[in-house]
Amino acid sequence: MHWGLIGASTIASEHVIDAIRSQDGNSIKSVMSSSAKRGREYAAKHSIPESTSEIDQILRDPEISAVYISTTNEKHFPQAMAAIDAGKHVLCEKPLAMSVADAVTMVNAAKKKGVVFATNHHLRCAGSHIAIRELIQSGRLGEILSVRVFHAVYLPPHLQGWRINDPKAGGGVIPDVTVHDADTVRFHLDEDPVSVVAKAGTSGLGEGVEDSVMSIWSMPSGIMVQVHDSFTHIHAGTGFEVHGTEGSVTASNVMTQQPVGQIFVDDKSGNHPVHFSDHNLYVYALQHFCGAVSGFGKPAADGVDGVKSLAIALAVRSAAEKGESVEVDYGGI
Ligand code: NDP
C-alpha cells in the first residue's frame, strides 16, 4: 500500500515513517507540507519520492490508498474529510478535531465511504498497558476502586512551539496529553467517564493555553480516576496505578512513546514484578491499521475511540474553565 503523509511533522519523522515502512508491502510515496521548500527538504531527508504543497495532489493520486494526518490539530478535520471524500484510508493524529461534533462527522463520513479511519493513540499499543489490562481482566485485582494517572512531564524544547502558545492550532496540555490519558483509561476500564472536575493553569511554559491540569473523572461503575498532566515537570516521571479490592498495580515510566517502564502487582502474596512485551508501539498501531485495511480486525484505536478521548479532554477543559463538574458530551456516538 502506498501512503501519503499529510504534514511534515516531528511525530512522523521520529516514529510513524519507520512504522509504516516496517509493514510488508507498505511505502510512503509523497509528503504534503504547507511550505514547498520544507516539504522538499523533508522528503529528501526521509527518502520520500515526492513532495507537494497541495493536498489534492496526494488525494488525486490513485496509487495512494492511505494517508497519515499529523498536521497541527485544527487542520485534522478539513484534511481528514477531504481524504475520506477521496476514498483514502485515514490514520489521523489525536486529537481528531477541535470539537466533538467535527470528530463525529469524520467518523460517520468514513463509515459511509467504507474506508478505515483510525486514531493514533499509541499508549494502548504498549506492552506495558496491554499487560495492565490483562491483569485487570483476569480478576486478580478484584473489584477496581480507583485509577491514578501521572503524566506530568517536561515538554522537550523542539516541541515547544504551537503546543504552548497557539490555542487556534489546538495548543495546551489538555488536547496534547489529557486526550491520551482518556484513551488509556478507557482502554483499561472498558467504560467512559460520565462527568469530570478539574483545575488547570500555567506553570512556566503556557502562553494563552494551560500547561498543567489536574482532573478527577467519575466512571459509571463508581471507579474514581485521578489524572495529573503537565508540560513543566522535569523530574516527576510518569506512572499509572490501578487499585482494586484484591490487589494494586503500580507502573512507572509507562506514559511514554518508548516500550519501557516497570510494573509491579501487590496483593496478599506480596510484591511481584510484571513482565511485558517490549514491541514498538507505533509498529503495533500500523500492524493493526494495515490489518484492518486488508479486512482483518480493527485498528488499535478507531474513530470512535478518538471521538471519546477528545470528548473527555474537552470536558476537562470546560470543567477547569467553569470551576464546576461537567458532564462528558460524546456527541451521540
Ligand atoms: P510538529 O510541530 O512537528 O508538526 C506540525 C506541523 O507543524 C507540521 O505539519 C508542519 O507543517 C509544521 N512544522 C513542522 N516543523 C516546522 C518548522 N520547522 N517550521 C515551521 N513549521 C513546521 O508537530 P508534532 O509532530 O509534534 O505533532 C503533530 C500532530 O501529531 C499533532 O496533532 C499532535 O497532537 C500529534 N502527536 C501525536 C503523538 C502520538 O504519539 N500519537 C505524539 C506527538 C504528536 P507543514 O506540514 O505544513 O509543513
Side-chain angles (χ1 to χ4, degrees), residues 220-283:
S221 63
I223 296 172
M224 295 181 75
V225 178
Q226 174 191 304
V227 180
H228 180 200
D229 299 315
S230 179
F231 284 155
T232 62
H233 286 48
I234 300 175
H235 303 293
T238 70
F240 195 93
E241 296 177 2
V242 186
H243 302 283
T245 51
E246 306 295 325
S248 284
V249 169
T250 309
S252 57
N253 196 21
V254 292
M255 306 306 284
T256 164
Q257 297 171 308
Q258 303 302 329
V260 295
Q262 298 82 38
I263 308 178
F264 291 91
V265 60
D266 278 90
D267 59 18
K268 63 179 182 231
S269 67
N271 173 268
H272 311 278
V274 176
H275 302 287
F276 55 86
S277 165
D278 64 355
H279 60 257
N280 181 298
L281 286 62
Y282 296 92
V283 169

Side-chain angles (χ1 to χ4, degrees), residues 83-141:
I84 292 165
D85 191 48
K88 309 297 183 193
H89 302 293
V90 177
L91 174 59
C92 187
E93 268 308 339
K94 44 51 68 171
L96 282 187
M98 301 291 278
S99 75
V100 173
D102 282 355
V104 170
T105 301
M106 292 154 89
V107 171
N108 289 339
K111 198 170 168 193
K112 196 165 165 204
K113 195 78 180 183
V115 295
V116 173
F117 182 76
T119 314
N120 200 27
H121 277 307
H122 61 292
L123 290 169
R124 63 164 67 209
C125 300
S128 57
H129 285 285
I130 292 168
I132 294 170
R133 181 178 155 86
E134 282 168 3
L135 274 168
I136 296 169
Q137 299 267 312
S138 73
R140 183 166 168 191
L141 307 181

Side-chain angles (χ1 to χ4, degrees), residues 8 10-11 33-34 38 73 76 93-94 120 162-163 282:
T10 309
I11 175 71
S33 166
S34 57
R38 192 165 59 245
N73 302 341
H76 297 172
E93 268 308 339
K94 44 51 68 171
N120 200 27
W162 57 273
R163 275 183 178 79
Y282 296 92

Side-chain angles (χ1 to χ4, degrees), residues 151-156 159-167 170-178 181 199-215 227-234 236 316-317 320-321:
H151 206 163
V153 294
Y154 189 73
L155 187 67
L159 298 181
Q160 289 177 16
W162 57 273
R163 275 183 178 79
I164 58 167
N165 64 16
D166 193 349
V173 76
I174 293 173
D176 202 49
V177 177
T178 310
D181 302 336
K199 281 258 184 199
T202 52
S203 53
L205 280 182
E207 297 163 24
V209 293
E210 79 290 327
D211 62 27
S212 292
V213 60
M214 290 187 178
S215 56
V227 180
H228 180 200
D229 299 315
S230 179
F231 284 155
T232 62
H233 286 48
I234 300 175
V316 166
R317 185 175 263 166
E321 282 167 0

